[in-house]
Amino acid sequence: MTTSRLLPPAGPQRVLASAQLANSIGDGAYYVTSALYFTHVVGLAPARVGLGLTVAWAVGSLAGVPLGRLADRRGPRGTAVLLALATALAVASFLVVRGFVPFVVAACAYATAQSGLAAARQALLAGLVSAGDRTGLLAHLQSTLNAGLAVGAALGGLALNAGTREAYLAVFALDAVSFVVCAGVLTRLPSVRPVAVRTRDSLGVLRDRPYALVTFLNTVLLLRMPLLSLGLPLWIAERTDAPAWLVSALFVLNTGAVMVFQVRMARGVTGVPSATRAVRRSGWVMLAACAVFALSAGASPWVAAGVLVAGAVLQVAAEMGQSAGSWQLSFDLAPADRVGEYQGFFGTGVTVARTLGPLVLTSLLVGWGTPGWLLLGAVTLAASYAMGPAARWAADSRVRRAVTRPALVP
């Protein structure tokens, strides 16, 4: 595969990218309008919205493993199609929700379907794409995701500008339709045979300690996820004299860089050794980014702006390297017959990071200032270095499991 191409090769890889693009456009519109929709249209207090979404994503993270296991055993294509339709139905239910309890129920259904869909699509990808091409394709999918989110965010911006109930309802209807389109696109893929159920090890990934450690370390690395949406905006407003519009500029910089360079950054990641090296390098780059961000405090407005842009360049480089390495590890360290289950578990790191990240970043950056930035960088570096031994342990454990594998249930 030529990873420098803007689009993945024709065939299943491009179909997967098309499905990603379809639902990411709807999600982009949803992300920028959902908070105001739930407070202004549904009529919920902001604290209740936050509580409901926290509960929903906690439920969704627990559902990822069993739904991933379902994809393995019933076939990932059919499972992914059904979960995409379930997500569409959950989003559509937001159109008629007018109270806190119905909102929590709908949000739990949305988060559960989303978590399961992510695991099923990863299992589908593993069944259709050779091991050597997976990380490159995931880089393409990440670029496609960012492009779709940017288009969707622009559409959501139109709704925000209109500010009417009808405009918000149109955005949620668009998101629901985008998942229906995603389901339709996924039906164009070849089917992947389900795997046989084994007689032992019914707990699967939940008792795989090496893989659990890799997932935990990846979760620590993902705590930087709310940096652009929460950490840096608060830092800029509370600790620097940089102009407020820089928040938007840094977001555009990050999105554009991922769209253009993520595929290139993933090119050299082809196995566990290269993946751990990529993660380790990203730790050093993230430490440098944190140190640079800290320098913006107390500087003049334009000096602070320049320093923040330099830090953002380092941060997105670290993000792309860490993403490429973690993608490779998540597949290479999972048993071939439990990809959906293992991907469902690995994906919980994103949910945990989204839940804990805001608390961690606000405490470190706004509360502690410069020492907080340096501590964030140090923790990231430590987790990136620990990933090497953890990945080797998981790889050795996978080999041992393959040797002692039990018989299949007929």
Side-chain angles (χ1 to χ4, degrees):
M1 183 181 74
T2 304
T3 55
S4 60
R5 295 176 183 172
L6 182 61
L7 296 174
Q13 297 192 38
R14 191 166 296 177
V15 175
L16 285 167
S18 300
Q20 177 80 292
L21 179 64
N23 73 257
S24 63
I25 291 175
D27 274 346
Y30 168 86
Y31 291 151
V32 300
T33 59
S34 59
L36 291 180
Y37 173 80
F38 293 135
T39 54
H40 292 181
V41 177
V42 179
L44 299 175
R48 286 200 151 196
V49 173
L51 174 61
L53 293 177
T54 299
V55 170
W57 283 111
V59 172
S61 66
L62 295 176
V65 171
L67 289 175
R69 184 179 298 165
L70 179 68
D72 290 332
R73 297 181 177 181
R74 300 298 181 186
R77 187 187 68 173
T79 304
V81 170
L82 290 176
L83 287 170
L85 293 175
T87 306
L89 183 61
V91 173
S93 70
F94 285 130
L95 296 171
V96 296
V97 163
R98 291 296 178 270
F100 178 67
V101 173
F103 162 70
V104 173
V105 172
C108 286
Y110 172 78
T112 297
Q114 280 274 51
S115 297
L117 176 59
R121 287 208 290 201
Q122 295 291 71
L124 186 57
L125 183 153
L128 296 174
V129 180
S130 64
D133 288 340
R134 289 172 190 167
T135 296
L137 174 58
L138 284 166
H140 278 295
L141 294 180
Q142 186 68 22
S143 299
T144 302
L145 172 67
N146 276 31
L149 290 176
V151 173
L155 295 175
L158 296 177
L160 292 175
N161 185 60
T164 63
R165 178 176 181 274
E166 291 73 19
Y168 287 117
L169 292 176
V171 165
F172 275 71
L174 169 66
D175 194 20
V177 170
S178 75
F179 279 97
V180 174
V181 174
C182 172
V185 173
L186 290 174
T187 61
R188 296 167 47 199
L189 290 167
S191 61
V192 175
R193 292 180 59 186
V195 298
V197 181
R198 299 195 177 276
T199 57
R200 296 189 300 172
D201 199 25
S202 59
L203 292 178
V205 66
L206 298 180
R207 57 191 291 181
D208 188 340
R209 288 179 295 173
Y211 196 88
L213 177 58
V214 170
T215 300
F216 168 75
L217 293 172
N218 187 63
T219 302
V220 173
L221 296 174
L222 290 176
L223 289 175
R224 46 85 183 158
M225 286 185 66
L227 195 58
L228 284 176
S229 61
L230 181 67
L232 277 173
L234 291 177
W235 171 260
I236 289 171
E238 300 292 332
R239 295 277 187 161
T240 79
D241 294 322
W245 56 259
L246 191 63
V247 171
S248 177
L250 295 182
F251 184 86
V252 172
L253 170 65
N254 181 277
T255 303
V258 172
M259 289 171 56
V260 175
F261 296 110
Q262 180 66 81
V263 174
R264 187 177 302 174
M265 289 288 288
R267 184 180 302 166
V269 180
T270 57
V272 172
S274 56
T276 55
R277 287 196 297 270
V279 172
R280 189 163 57 245
R281 284 195 301 267
S282 75
W284 281 109
V285 178
M286 188 63 190
L287 175 61
C290 290
V292 171
F293 281 135
L295 293 175
S296 62
S300 64
W302 291 109
V303 171
V307 170
L308 288 166
V309 169
V313 171
L314 291 170
Q315 185 272 327
V316 73
E319 174 186 330
M320 290 187 289
Q322 187 266 324
S323 295
S326 66
W327 293 332
Q328 189 76 35
L329 293 174
S330 71
F331 279 106
D332 283 5
L333 300 177
D337 58 349
R338 292 181 182 265
V339 172
E341 178 184 348
Y342 272 62
Q343 288 297 316
F345 182 69
F346 197 80
T348 60
V350 174
T351 305
V352 173
R354 285 175 174 169
T355 304
L356 297 182
L359 176 62
V360 172
L361 292 183
T362 52
S363 299
L364 289 179
L365 308 185
V366 180
W368 291 15
T370 297
W373 276 114
L374 298 179
L375 180 58
L376 176 64
V379 169
T380 301
L381 181 62
S384 69
Y385 262 79
M387 188 66 83
R392 288 192 293 272
W393 182 27
D396 292 342
S397 176
R398 182 185 173 189
V399 172
R400 288 194 299 271
R401 286 197 308 269
V403 172
T404 60
R405 178 170 293 179
L408 295 178
V409 173

